[in-house]
Amino acid sequence: MDIEILPIEKENMKSKDILKDPDSLGFGNYFTDRMFVVKWTEDKGWHDAKIKKYEDFVFDPATLVLHYGQEIFEGLKAFRSKNGDILLFRPWENVKRMNRSAERMSMPTMKEEDMLEAIVELVKLEKDWVPDKRGASLYIRPTMIATEKGLGVRPSKEYIFFVILSPSGPYFKEGFKPITLLATDKYVRAVPGGVGEAKTGGNYAASLKAKKLAKNYGCAEVLWLDAYNKKFIEEVGAMNIAFVINDVITTPRLDGSILHGITRKSVLEMGKKLGFKVSEREISIHEIMEGAQNGSVTECFGLGTAASIAPVGEIKYLHYEETGENITSVKFGDKPGKIAERLYKELQDIQYGEKEPPFEGWILKIE
Ligand code: PLP
Ligand code: COI
């Protein structure tokens, strides 16, 4: 792809003082100096690719994305190794998933090599923004939006794809400490045939009401159940979920409404290589509630790019019966489980370049 790199004046560059204390970055609060932007139109395809100053977009109030939410995004990270190398973790997977989301949302796809080139070139220019601390990284957010004007419900004939970068710490303020989840039959996230497998903004907007309910019950996130039976565990607000059941790392199988998480896939592949038994299957909330009490379910953890591996210490289950609201709870402990800890360390060792990746293509060094 032909990328024009526009200069930015020194006086417009932001202070990097925030990087001095990576522990206080939080997630997605700061953005670097530059962004990548490319346009798409029906007649020209992708064109006018630029890396330029991070700045506002100006949109007509009738721009389609503002009305009907034709939007998709990705999330991946650049890590700084001890010797200063900048490493991307499985970026090809993100690029492929972005195109799958684009197809589902009737948006244009982009050549995988071009999308990766855009990400790599931007990160290369912004490499000084990659935090130098284990646990912190440069979060990369490729995004595509519908930019044609109009109020008819139809696929836009114009789009912008852009990439922004955010030096970030852990997604949960708890860091690698157990969080509490709320499983409930009150709301659902996605249905088979719907858009749950796509990384599209509306999925997250639709989850906010349930997240508020979770907060009211002292929980960090919702543990979503399937929409038909309100029984089978699907995933969490911003991550997939896994349990250790009878010593097997067990995660819900991809049923058409769960996001195909790259961390989930990596943990299954890496776990097998480390000698763990792994399984993808239906898991009912009842199996977990009972299993945590009788000792067959010993651990629970979330899996995601932003969240990494996030231990879960407690699940509350809020369900509605004829007699009214009922809440039960099970605990896994106030310390991360042993297997979660092992996987977390292994994954971070690979991501921060301390260990050879177990498979080809897992790490892309930015040269
Ligand atoms: N599920 C949802 C709803 C997510 O937003 C994410 C985050 O990307 C994940 C799962 C985990 O996917 P990944 O590991 O590819 O980041
Ligand atoms: C990610 O983990 O990259 C995500 O996209 C989660 C995000 C919604 C915070």
Side-chain angles (χ1 to χ4, degrees):
M1 185 167 22
D2 214 4
I3 305 175
E4 186 186 0
I5 299 175
L6 301 184
I8 51 175
E9 299 87 46
K10 273 244 151 53
E11 61 268 26
N12 283 332
M13 308 267 253
K14 300 169 188 170
S15 157
K16 292 194 180 67
D17 280 356
I18 50 156
L19 297 177
K20 288 185 190 151
D21 181 14
D23 291 334
S24 62
L25 288 170
F27 175 77
N29 296 321
Y30 303 99
F31 298 92
T32 70
D33 295 305
R34 298 175 176 87
M35 65 198 288
F36 171 89
V37 186
V38 61
K39 293 178 187 159
W40 186 93
T41 51
E42 271 191 338
D43 53 335
K44 290 196 196 159
W46 292 109
H47 65 279
D48 208 8
K50 286 190 176 72
I51 292 180
K52 58 176 196 167
K53 192 174 121 209
Y54 182 103
E55 62 189 356
D56 293 350
F57 288 121
V58 177
F59 293 122
D60 187 286
T63 302
L64 279 169
V65 67
L66 303 177
H67 298 272
Y68 307 126
Q70 210 188 359
E71 184 266 3
I72 56 170
F73 70 95
E74 265 305 320
L76 66 159
K77 283 174 169 174
F79 301 87
R80 185 182 294 278
S81 75
K82 266 191 187 147
N83 64 12
D85 290 341
I86 306 297
L87 310 173
L88 298 184
F89 183 68
R90 306 192 78 172
W92 286 106
E93 296 289 332
N94 294 91
V95 160
K96 284 193 189 122
R97 188 172 60 189
M98 185 79 174
N99 277 337
R100 288 201 304 272
S101 296
E103 279 182 8
R104 179 62 185 85
M105 299 302 289
S106 304
M107 298 168 91
T109 55
M110 190 187 293
K111 262 199 231 149
E112 290 172 9
E113 308 84 83
D114 287 353
M115 207 189 299
L116 190 57
E117 186 188 350
I119 293 167
V120 167
E121 290 308 309
L122 181 65
V123 173
K124 209 186 277 180
L125 282 168
E126 299 288 70
K127 64 180 189 321
D128 292 347
W129 282 99
V130 183
D132 188 10
K133 168 133 200 244
R134 209 164 145 128
S137 58
L138 187 67
Y139 183 77
I140 306 168
R141 174 53 64 87
T143 309
M144 198 198 302
I145 52 172
T147 49
E148 197 197 349
K149 278 186 278 178
L151 295 182
V153 177
R154 58 182 158 75
S156 174
K157 294 194 180 82
E158 293 168 17
Y159 297 86
I160 286 178
F161 169 91
F162 61 93
V163 184
I164 54 174
L165 307 173
S166 175
S168 290
Y171 183 68
F172 293 110
K173 64 174 179 357
E174 290 86 346
F176 190 66
K177 294 212 186 83
I179 55 168
T180 302
L181 299 178
L182 182 77
T184 175
D185 52 15
K186 185 159 185 187
Y187 300 107
V188 296
R189 174 185 176 274
V191 293
V195 295
E197 283 188 351
K199 244 174 125 57
T200 182
N203 285 337
Y204 299 82
S207 74
L208 298 176
K209 180 117 177 145
K211 183 160 172 163
K212 192 169 169 196
L213 181 73
K215 295 261 174 218
N216 290 345
Y217 280 89
C219 301
E221 288 280 350
V222 176
L223 178 60
W224 296 104
L225 303 178
D226 78 287
Y228 282 148
N229 307 292
K230 312 251 175 85
K231 174 176 168 193
F232 296 107
I233 292 172
E234 298 231 306
E235 61 180 315
V236 186
M239 51 189 193
N240 295 110
I241 192 82
F243 300 89
V244 177
I245 307 179
N246 296 319
D247 297 324
V248 180
I249 300 169
T250 310
T251 187
R253 70 175 165 76
L254 301 172
D255 65 351
S257 57
I258 297 177
L259 192 84
H260 292 214
I262 297 160
T263 317
R264 171 190 182 280
K265 184 175 174 181
S266 303
V267 159
L268 289 174
E269 292 169 0
M270 190 178 81
K272 223 189 265 178
K273 196 132 192 183
L274 290 173
F276 291 106
K277 284 200 182 114
V278 302
S279 166
E280 297 172 79
R281 63 167 173 86
E282 277 181 343
I283 307 168
S284 80
I285 183 68
H286 307 107
E287 176 181 356
I288 297 304
M289 301 307 281
E290 283 159 29
Q293 274 162 348
N294 69 27
S296 59
V297 183
T298 45
E299 290 187 37
C300 174
F301 43 90
L303 304 162
T305 297
S308 189
I309 292 179
V312 175
E314 182 177 3
I315 295 176
K316 295 181 183 172
Y317 176 36
L318 173 69
H319 48 287
Y320 292 86
E321 293 171 355
E322 273 166 23
T323 48
E325 195 176 289
N326 197 339
I327 186 148
T328 47
S329 148
V330 285
K331 292 194 173 160
F332 300 98
D334 45 17
K335 286 206 193 100
K338 288 218 161 48
I339 293 179
E341 213 157 30
R342 172 88 199 276
L343 294 170
Y344 179 67
K345 180 169 184 315
E346 191 74 19
L347 184 65
Q348 292 225 322
D349 281 350
I350 296 165
Q351 291 176 328
Y352 287 89
E354 312 237 324
K355 237 185 202 169
E356 281 299 310
F359 299 97
E360 219 176 289
W362 272 33
I363 292 292
L364 177 68
K365 185 168 145 189
I366 303 270
E367 310 264 18

